[in-house]
């Protein structure tokens, strides 16, 4: 057993010993299926703290032939797989974290030299009976080992992309690093599986990738591995029940990463949760911004304040809960090459600050926790008009509760004037302004735009989450260049309140209109007590 060769199963045992462990061993069966095939090169990219290192530790424990790991896996999902016994503890495993080597080295040459030296040390120390042709050549040493043992290696590389994050402007260093990985791994008989994890997909050079033998599973194209990185909705529901915490509140805080798997029978959409945040909330029995604490908002700020045409408009609209259509195909998989706003937005998907819907090809801010990070970043930028509208939204919500229609109209007027990039061209622009003006409502409500109900769609529904049932529900109808009172009439006529048929409590109906001539908003608010017998047409 060495530091990097057959280093043991301690990492996975620690995961199993933790207070909260979610079984993701089904992932092992996916890897077993590609062992010693043309698909044996796998690269998984996910945001930080999404379980990438846990998965690498799990694979190391399962494949490592120096330790018997059967007791660790016997009660887990993988034990039911036909391939379980065939590959359990049958391989020599090399497991490395590239960040460790980069941190110890002064440049990429030192990093690669150190990596080769340390791996050769473990290999020659372990395989003492083998005569090596060249003790200073990692590739030749591994060829010699395979020639003698006929047992190929499992190679696990964590934080594979750290050099691209820390040497963002050094193209020569990046190319040298990729060339090393290609020479070490590509077309080598001694590789049974090469598995890499990181935040970024593999960097492209010109029209091809230096590591084009890898199959990539990313936030924009997760393939059939979507469910294994992050917690699924069903897994979070079970944890909330066990720890007696509100799933509805957990969903508002941490849900929103939509990963689409394409199958022959149609698309499967997984709603994934950040494991770091879910575990912290459960252990502390308190909802909060936990994932954000692993990196400062400055990382987000750098990108959203870039002078890209349409970028600011896109961010503001997403804060207002809109989805933005983008093209992810031009992104060059690094942190510096941006030809248009879509490239910046695609990077934010890989970093975890946006979610990508592969079916609709749109991006959005995933949840309350991440939305707060945008507010934190914007509060230190020159987007004062945006942050002012967000801060004013608390008062605006109070005005709605107090049925102060004039204050609501004036608040939306102010938001419209301040957010000058939101030009009013149609009712959708009005909807965006209203949603941003009521930003603070997400503290208490599930907010649904165009909720199907009755004979049509209610423009905006504010439905109190169970922990906030003391707040009134609200149905808001928007009118473009029409009477606000007509909006109230439409709510009643089309029975939009049917959307809240399972809600019992105070209910507010609000009609908001915009007059193109006067460029002013008007608002009409009514309050009703929703019961099964209420006549909304009275």
């Amino acid at each position: 057993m060495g530091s990097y060769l057959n280093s043991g199963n301690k990492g996975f045992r620690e995961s199993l010993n933790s207070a909260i462990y979610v079984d993701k061993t089904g992932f092992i069966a996916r890897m077993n299926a590609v062992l010693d095939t043309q698909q044996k090169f796998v690269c998984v990219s996910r945001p930080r703290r999404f379980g990438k290192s846990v998965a690498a530790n799990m694979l190391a424990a399962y494949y490592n032939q120096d330790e018997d790991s059967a007791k660790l896996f016997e009660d887990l999902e993988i034990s039911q797989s036909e391939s379980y016994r065939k590959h359990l503890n049958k391989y020599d495993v090399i497991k490395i974290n590239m960040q460790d080597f980069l941190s110890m080295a002064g440049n990429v040459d030192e990093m690669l030299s150190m990596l080769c030296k340390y791996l050769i040390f473990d290999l020659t120390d372990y395989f003492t009976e083998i005569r090596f042709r060249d003790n200073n050549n990692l590739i030749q040493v591994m060829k010699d080992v395979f020639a003698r043992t006929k047992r190929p290696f499992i190679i696990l590389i964590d934080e594979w992309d750290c050099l691209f994050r820390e040497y963002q402007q050094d193209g020569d260093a990046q190319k040298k690093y990729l060339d090393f990985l290609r020479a070490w791994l590509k077309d080598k008989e001694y590789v049974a599986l090469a598995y890499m994890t990181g935040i970024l997909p593999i960097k492209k050079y010109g029209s091809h990738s230096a590591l084009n033998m890898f199959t990539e599973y990313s936030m924009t194209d997760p393939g059939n591995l979507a469910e294994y990185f992050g917690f699924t909705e069903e897994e979070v529901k079970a944890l909330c029940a066990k720890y007696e915490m509100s799933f509805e509140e957990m969903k508002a805080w941490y849900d929103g990463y939509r990963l689409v798997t394409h199958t022959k029978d149609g698309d499967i959409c997984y709603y994934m949760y950040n494991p770091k945040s879910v575990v912290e909330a459960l252990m502390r029995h308190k909802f909060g911004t936990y994932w954000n604490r692993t990196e400062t908002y400055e990382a987000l700020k750098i990108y959203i304040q870039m002078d890209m045409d349409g970028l600011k408009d896109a961010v503001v609209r997403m804060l207002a809960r809109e989805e933005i259509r983008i093209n992810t195909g031009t992104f060059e998989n690094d942190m510096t090459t941006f030809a248009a706003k879509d490239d910046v937005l695609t990077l934010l998907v890989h970093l975890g600050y946006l979610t990508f819907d592969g079916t609709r090809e749109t991006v959005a801010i995933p949840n309350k926790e991440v939305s707060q990070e945008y507010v934190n970043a914007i509060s230190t930028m020159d987007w004062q008009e945006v942050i002012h509208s967000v801060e004013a939204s608390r008062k605006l919500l109070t005005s709605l509760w107090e049925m102060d229609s004039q204050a609501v109209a004036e608040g939306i007027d102010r938001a419209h004037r301040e957010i000058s990039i939101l030009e009013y061209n149609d009712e959708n622009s009005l909807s965006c302004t209203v949603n941003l003006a009521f930003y603070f409502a997400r503290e208490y409500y599930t907010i649904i735009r165009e909720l199907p109900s009755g004979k049509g769609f209610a423009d905006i529904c504010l439905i109190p989450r169970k922990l906030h049932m003391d707040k009134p529900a609200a149905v808001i109808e928007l009118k473009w260049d029409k009477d606000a009172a007509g909006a109230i009439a439409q709510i009643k006529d089309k029975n939009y309140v049917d959307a809240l048929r399972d809600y019992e409590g105070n209910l507010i109906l609000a009609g908001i209109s915009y007059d193109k001539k006067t460029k002013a908003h008007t608002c009409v608010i009514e309050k009703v007590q929703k019961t099964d017998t209420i006549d909304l047409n009275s």
Side-chain angles (χ1 to χ4, degrees):
M1 182 182 295
S3 298
Y4 308 102
L5 174 67
N6 296 333
S7 55
N9 55 33
K10 183 177 185 296
F12 185 57
R13 278 191 284 110
E14 288 182 354
S15 295
L16 293 177
N17 291 338
S18 298
I20 296 176
Y21 172 75
V22 174
D23 185 357
K24 295 290 183 179
T25 58
F27 174 63
I28 297 174
R30 302 284 189 184
M31 295 300 97
N32 286 345
V34 301
L35 285 174
D36 279 323
T37 71
Q38 293 295 311
Q39 291 73 46
K40 64 185 177 182
F41 299 97
V42 175
C43 182
V44 174
S45 56
R46 292 292 188 277
R48 64 188 192 279
R49 308 308 298 269
F50 259 72
K52 302 184 298 296
S53 297
V54 172
N57 289 335
M58 177 179 70
L59 294 178
Y62 173 78
Y63 289 118
N64 174 16
Q65 61 96 21
D66 255 15
E67 290 192 79
D68 183 357
S69 299
K71 289 185 178 180
L72 299 181
F73 292 99
E74 61 186 7
D75 295 324
L76 300 177
E77 180 184 347
I78 183 59
S79 65
Q80 304 304 310
S81 170
E82 291 182 3
S83 66
Y84 171 58
R85 287 290 175 184
K86 179 180 180 181
H87 299 291
L88 177 66
N89 300 134
K90 295 295 196 300
Y91 297 85
D92 292 309
V93 177
I94 291 177
K95 179 177 176 292
I96 57 177
N97 186 317
M98 281 295 184
Q99 184 66 61
D100 292 342
F101 290 96
L102 185 61
S103 298
M104 291 187 289
N107 55 56
V108 67
D109 290 311
E110 288 183 17
M111 181 188 83
L112 297 178
S113 176
M114 186 184 300
L115 172 65
C116 291
K117 179 181 177 180
Y118 289 5
L119 291 184
I120 289 171
F121 179 90
D122 271 10
L123 288 163
T124 55
D125 186 61
Y126 187 84
F127 296 101
T128 56
E129 76 285 0
I130 297 177
R131 294 178 58 197
F132 296 101
R133 291 175 173 81
D134 184 351
N135 285 33
N136 296 313
N137 186 312
L138 175 62
I139 293 174
Q140 188 58 54
V141 166
M142 293 183 68
K143 283 184 176 180
D144 290 343
V145 170
F146 178 69
R148 174 65 68 88
T149 66
K150 301 302 180 184
R151 187 171 60 232
F153 290 88
I154 302 291
I155 300 175
L156 310 175
I157 304 174
D158 202 4
E159 300 282 1
W160 89 270
D161 62 330
C162 61
L163 186 134
F164 293 91
R165 291 183 271 124
E166 295 195 20
Y167 286 67
Q168 295 182 15
Q169 305 293 339
D170 194 339
D172 290 339
Q174 294 173 10
K175 189 174 187 303
K176 185 176 295 185
Y177 174 54
L178 289 178
D179 287 343
F180 165 79
L181 291 175
R182 178 175 57 189
W184 181 30
L185 303 173
K186 190 171 184 180
D187 300 326
K188 298 299 186 291
E189 285 186 317
Y190 55 69
V191 177
L193 173 70
Y195 170 82
M196 302 198 308
T197 76
I199 294 175
L200 295 174
I202 294 173
K203 169 69 179 174
K204 304 172 185 175
Y205 276 106
S207 60
H208 69 283
S209 167
L211 300 178
N212 58 7
M213 68 282 199
F214 276 86
T215 301
E216 296 196 66
Y217 301 86
S218 68
M219 290 295 282
T220 56
D221 189 5
N224 62 358
L225 303 185
E227 64 187 293
Y228 298 113
F229 296 88
F231 292 166
T232 67
E233 191 154 273
E234 290 306 311
E235 289 165 347
V236 174
K237 282 182 180 178
L239 288 170
C240 286
K242 179 179 178 180
Y243 284 83
E244 298 181 342
M245 290 189 70
S246 167
F247 168 72
E248 187 182 31
E249 204 70 17
M250 189 76 76
K251 183 179 179 69
W253 272 94
Y254 309 122
D255 180 26
Y257 294 99
R258 293 172 294 194
L259 300 185
V260 178
T261 295
H262 305 287
T263 72
K264 61 182 178 63
D265 298 319
D267 293 346
I268 302 173
C269 183
Y270 293 94
Y271 286 84
M272 304 301 293
Y273 291 65
N274 184 310
K276 165 69 175 178
S277 300
V278 172
V279 169
E280 289 282 355
L282 293 171
M283 297 304 295
R284 296 170 184 261
H285 216 74
K286 176 185 176 183
F287 299 105
T289 54
Y290 301 114
W291 179 70
N292 299 0
R293 298 177 189 177
T294 64
E295 189 171 69
T296 70
Y297 63 79
E298 291 290 337
L300 174 61
K301 178 179 175 180
I302 290 171
Y303 299 107
I304 65 175
Q305 67 181 354
M306 284 186 170
D307 187 21
M308 291 281 180
D309 183 44
L311 180 57
K312 182 176 181 179
D313 179 85
V315 171
V316 172
R317 289 186 177 278
M318 287 188 293
L319 278 173
R321 304 180 66 83
E322 284 195 12
E323 295 185 11
I324 302 296
R325 189 173 181 84
I326 70 166
N327 173 20
T328 62
T330 60
F331 181 57
E332 295 195 23
N333 297 351
D334 63 25
M335 306 181 83
T336 57
T337 310
F338 306 114
K341 70 174 176 62
D342 283 6
D343 296 332
V344 178
L345 297 177
T346 304
L347 173 61
L348 294 180
V349 171
H350 292 297
L351 295 178
Y353 292 111
L354 292 176
T355 179
F356 176 70
D357 187 318
T359 302
R360 297 197 292 263
E361 296 186 336
T362 59
V363 292
I365 297 175
N367 53 49
K368 180 179 174 181
E369 180 184 40
V370 177
S371 184
Q372 183 58 47
E373 194 73 346
Y374 280 85
V375 173
N376 293 341
I378 290 171
S379 66
T380 64
M381 294 161 48
D382 60 355
W383 296 14
Q384 291 306 308
E385 75 282 12
V386 179
I387 200 65
H388 183 268
S389 291
V390 169
E391 291 171 349
S393 66
R394 186 188 302 262
K395 183 177 180 180
L396 187 67
L397 184 61
T398 300
S399 297
L400 179 68
W401 291 339
E402 295 175 349
M403 299 184 62
D404 189 339
S405 57
Q406 182 175 347
V408 170
E410 290 174 352
I412 295 173
D413 262 334
R414 192 177 304 110
H416 176 211
R417 290 194 305 270
E418 291 177 342
I419 311 298
S420 57
I421 61 172
L422 297 179
E423 296 180 3
Y424 269 23
N425 298 315
D426 52 29
E427 192 167 308
N428 190 57
S429 298
L430 171 60
S431 175
C432 185
T433 297
V434 172
N435 271 280
L436 188 61
F438 281 107
Y439 176 88
F440 187 69
R442 67 194 71 191
E443 186 75 14
Y444 310 108
Y445 294 97
T446 296
I447 304 174
I448 304 178
R449 298 180 62 177
E450 296 189 349
L451 178 67
S453 178
K455 304 174 185 177
F457 294 82
D459 284 333
I460 302 171
C461 277
L462 307 182
I463 306 174
R465 299 194 295 275
K466 290 181 180 179
L467 295 184
H468 309 290
M469 293 300 287
D470 58 318
K471 304 295 187 291
V475 178
I476 302 174
E477 182 67 16
L478 308 177
K479 285 299 177 184
W480 179 258
D481 212 30
K482 294 180 182 179
D483 183 59
I488 294 287
Q490 181 170 322
I491 293 174
K492 296 178 179 180
D493 180 58
K494 295 194 174 181
N495 198 22
Y496 288 166
V497 178
D498 182 59
L500 302 173
R501 58 184 174 274
D502 295 326
Y503 168 77
E504 295 295 337
N506 291 331
L507 173 63
I508 291 175
L509 312 182
I512 299 172
S513 70
Y514 175 73
D515 190 307
K516 289 190 292 184
K517 292 181 180 179
T518 64
K519 300 188 183 302
H521 299 81
T522 56
C523 177
V524 175
I525 302 174
E526 291 185 11
K527 180 181 285 187
V528 297
Q529 179 68 38
K530 180 182 178 293
T531 67
D532 292 337
T533 58
I534 191 168
D535 182 4
L536 292 171
N537 293 304
S538 61

